[in-house]
Amino acid sequence: MTQATLSKANRESNIQAKTASPDLKEIGSVFASQKKKALELRLSSAKERISKLKRLKDAINKFQPEIQKALYADFHKSPDEVDITEILPSIAEINDNLRHLRSWMKPKRVGTPITLFGASSQIIYEPKGVCLVIAPWNYPFYLSIAPIVAAIGAGNTVILKPSEFTPNTSLVTKRMLSEVFEKDEIAVFEGDVGVSSALLEQPFDHIFFTGSTPVGKVVMNAAAKNLTTVTLELGGKSPTFVADDADMKLTARRVMWGKFLNAGQTCVAPDYILMPKSKVDEFVKYSKEAMEEYFNSKDDQFQTSPDFCRIVNAKNFSRVSSYIDDAVKQGAKVVYGGKVNASENFIAPTLLVDVPLNSKIMEDEIFGPLLPIITYDRMDDAISIVNSKPKPLALYIFSKSSKTAKYILQRTSAGGSVINDVILHLLNSKLPFGGINHSGHGSYHGHFGFKAFSHERSVLHQTKFPMSSLMYPPYTNFVRFLVKQTTKWFV
């Protein structure tokens, strides 16, 4: 894979790429040392892996103030929001591994058919080996640490490529990890697209990528050259259905929280909302009240709020703000927000109505603090809009009726869904988190993360005199009779 290919994909996803001169010799050296270390880690015990995870947990707590400062420097993220969205879920992922890793690592006994009478079967979980984690910029700490935790629990080595668009967080993450691990086990390579390209040339045993769909395609193509397995955590336009029986105040409060968390730069943020036209005014009213309460802001003065993030860089600011201009030119109306300040990469929480379906804001994943409100006459019309687009990472439903929720779930497809709330499904480690088709391949969190970085190896223990030996050649009349009876009664 060439640097030009990845650069093109980055441009398509509106991420500015820079040229780089990666240290190819160092990348090759670290990869080779991790390949050797991976063979040792195959023999590591649950106790050894748990010890490493405890050291990582202690390091996160130690570096917490620096992580907070780094994220504020990168895009004005408040310390409290850092704790809630970066530190807390990272610690939760570690704690889940600490509680369950011993049981996850145990071989799993499975049934054996009667045609193999006497034999026993099991699945053992072996590490995949040397893993590459490519992390995004929107939650740069958590989305670096969570897959690393899963990889450690499964017994792998990891090379992390953090995002160059959050350099302060990348630097702190590298310093923290280097205090806990040697490079032959966990290594960090900072840099831009040139570094990513060089890393993707290596024959990794598994690649875990979080980012945009266009770049995800490039990663998958690079992995195919070495038949490397991949986990792709992508995005898409996650819709929110609002039924006519929904509690509108509750709906507005929860959607406003989920949409404008991290200034909308969340892969599972509600991307657009679908509701009956008769409910729009009520929804907008309660939405304004909620936003002014959350950010202690009157008259749309969100720029002064210490709790409202900025867009990560000028390139993304230009992209997101252009959606407002394009939508308005095509007839949309801004009913709340709309203020921007290029000097700070600031875009206020914005609600738009009468948004044409062919406008850019309804074609691209927004990844910013804009919420288009689309109205429908019949629920089936709203479902058709959603099904006309690639399958999203998340889909949300607000309704008092379980029948309505089931109706929508059965007629749509998404990576995950929440009924009467948003985003919270990713906090349940008992649920797999991941997309489908354009929104991703594979899943992780908790046990699902352990399995993502493990190979489920089939093992059958045969007896001294297996029943199957009765079907060895020569194929006599008795063998034919036995095959016929087996096919009839036991297969």
Side-chain angles (χ1 to χ4, degrees):
M1 187 200 67
T2 66
Q3 180 177 328
T5 304
L6 190 54
S7 297
K8 181 176 183 294
N10 274 335
R11 288 194 299 273
E12 289 174 356
S13 59
N14 296 301
I15 297 175
Q16 187 175 9
K18 304 174 183 177
T19 58
S21 299
D23 190 336
L24 299 179
K25 185 176 181 180
E26 185 184 5
I27 288 175
S29 175
V30 170
F31 182 86
S33 67
Q34 289 207 357
K35 197 78 174 175
K36 182 178 179 181
K37 184 70 173 181
L39 296 176
E40 298 177 22
L41 293 182
R42 295 177 68 84
L43 306 177
S44 60
S45 65
K47 182 179 179 180
E48 290 170 324
R49 298 179 192 182
I50 286 172
S51 176
K52 294 172 187 175
L53 290 170
K54 286 180 177 179
R55 294 202 307 271
L56 177 58
K57 180 180 176 180
D58 290 341
I60 293 173
N61 289 325
K62 173 186 173 182
F63 276 81
Q64 183 176 0
E66 292 187 49
I67 296 166
Q68 291 173 336
K69 292 177 183 177
L71 279 154
Y72 187 87
D74 282 330
F75 53 109
H76 201 80
K77 195 165 188 173
S78 75
D80 295 314
E81 191 164 308
V82 170
D83 288 347
I84 293 169
T85 64
E86 306 269 4
I87 304 295
L88 186 152
S90 298
I91 296 296
E93 197 69 35
I94 293 174
N95 286 343
D96 198 50
N97 273 260
L98 296 180
R99 284 192 292 266
H100 302 294
L101 188 57
R102 284 186 174 86
S103 64
W104 294 345
M105 288 177 63
K106 289 180 180 178
K108 180 182 178 182
R109 292 290 297 268
V110 295
T112 304
I114 196 169
T115 49
L116 297 174
F117 180 77
S120 61
S121 305
Q122 65 177 345
I123 300 170
I124 60 175
Y125 295 92
E126 62 182 31
K128 287 191 172 179
V130 185
C131 303
L132 172 63
V133 173
I134 303 177
W137 53 262
N138 60 324
Y139 291 92
F141 184 78
Y142 169 58
L143 294 178
S144 294
I145 297 302
I148 288 177
V149 169
I152 293 170
N156 300 277
T157 65
V158 178
I159 291 178
L160 169 68
K161 166 56 179 73
S163 173
E164 66 270 31
F165 299 117
T166 48
N168 297 286
T169 307
S170 295
L171 180 60
V172 171
T173 302
K174 182 176 183 177
R175 286 182 51 236
M176 184 194 76
L177 290 173
S178 66
E179 283 196 8
V180 183
F181 302 98
E182 297 295 331
K183 284 185 178 181
D184 65 351
E185 190 164 353
I186 307 290
V188 181
F189 282 93
E190 296 178 280
D192 55 24
V193 64
V195 175
S196 298
S197 298
L199 288 169
L200 287 170
E201 293 290 341
Q202 301 296 323
F204 284 94
D205 297 301
H206 188 74
I207 298 174
F208 189 106
F209 170 78
T210 305
S212 70
T213 299
V215 181
K217 293 178 181 179
V218 175
V219 172
M220 194 169 185
N221 183 60
K225 294 178 181 178
N226 294 302
L227 296 180
T228 299
T229 57
V230 296
T231 301
L232 302 177
E233 296 295 334
L234 309 177
K237 296 188 72 62
S238 298
T240 299
F241 287 87
V242 179
D244 57 7
D245 67 341
D247 182 324
M248 206 54 58
K249 185 174 183 179
L250 177 146
T251 299
R253 291 182 62 83
R254 294 179 179 178
V255 171
M256 290 303 100
W257 167 76
K259 175 62 186 181
F260 299 113
L261 180 73
N262 206 42
Q265 299 167 113
T266 303
C267 59
V268 289
D271 191 272
Y272 61 102
I273 196 163
L274 300 142
M275 65 172 55
K277 191 170 185 177
S278 60
K279 298 293 182 178
V280 171
D281 290 343
E282 185 181 7
F283 176 79
V284 171
K285 172 180 174 291
Y286 287 127
S287 294
K288 291 179 179 179
E289 292 177 0
M291 293 303 293
E292 291 177 355
E293 176 187 339
Y294 295 160
F295 296 102
N296 193 26
S297 174
K298 294 291 184 181
D299 301 321
D300 192 23
Q301 296 300 314
F302 292 97
Q303 195 168 344
T304 62
S305 172
D307 298 321
F308 190 74
C309 290
R310 300 299 185 259
I311 304 301
V312 68
N313 55 31
K315 181 73 173 181
N316 278 274
F317 169 84
S318 176
R319 174 184 61 81
V320 177
S321 59
S322 72
Y323 292 150
I324 302 175
D325 298 334
D326 175 74
V328 170
K329 285 180 182 177
Q330 296 195 52
K333 297 182 182 65
V334 174
V335 293
Y336 188 62
K339 292 184 179 180
V340 301
N341 185 330
S343 66
E344 289 191 18
N345 294 329
F346 168 81
I347 300 177
T350 301
L351 305 181
L352 301 102
V353 299
D354 299 332
V355 180
L357 294 178
N358 62 349
S359 58
K360 290 182 180 179
I361 199 172
M362 287 303 297
E363 293 177 348
D364 302 336
E365 181 181 6
I366 299 170
F367 227 67
L370 315 179
L371 182 62
I373 300 172
I374 308 298
T375 59
Y376 65 83
D377 295 321
R378 299 182 309 120
M379 182 61 73
D380 285 344
D381 297 333
I383 290 172
S384 294
I385 292 172
V386 172
N387 286 338
S388 69
K389 302 179 183 299
K391 296 175 182 179
L393 182 56
L395 183 149
Y396 305 116
I397 302 167
F398 285 85
S399 175
K400 295 177 183 177
S401 167
S402 58
K403 184 177 179 181
T404 298
K406 182 178 179 181
Y407 185 90
I408 296 170
L409 289 173
Q410 288 181 329
R411 288 160 177 79
T412 57
S413 179
S417 288
V418 183
I419 298 169
N420 291 324
D421 215 324
V422 297
I423 294 179
L424 297 180
H425 61 303
L426 63 81
L427 298 179
N428 184 354
S429 64
K430 301 297 187 293
L431 290 173
F433 178 78
I436 177 172
N437 297 136
H438 280 74
S439 57
H441 287 188
S443 60
Y444 75 123
H445 288 179
H447 193 201
F448 303 98
F450 173 82
K451 292 204 293 183
F453 285 94
S454 300
H455 169 59
E456 295 179 279
R457 186 171 182 173
S458 304
V459 179
L460 186 138
H461 296 260
Q462 187 57 281
T463 60
K464 188 174 182 179
F465 301 104
M467 184 176 177
S468 58
S469 65
L470 297 176
M471 297 184 189
Y472 291 174
Y475 300 121
T476 63
N477 288 335
F478 172 74
V479 172
R480 296 188 188 98
F481 171 78
L482 186 60
V483 171
K484 183 177 181 180
Q485 293 304 307
T486 301
T487 303
K488 184 176 180 180
W489 298 105
F490 302 120
V491 176

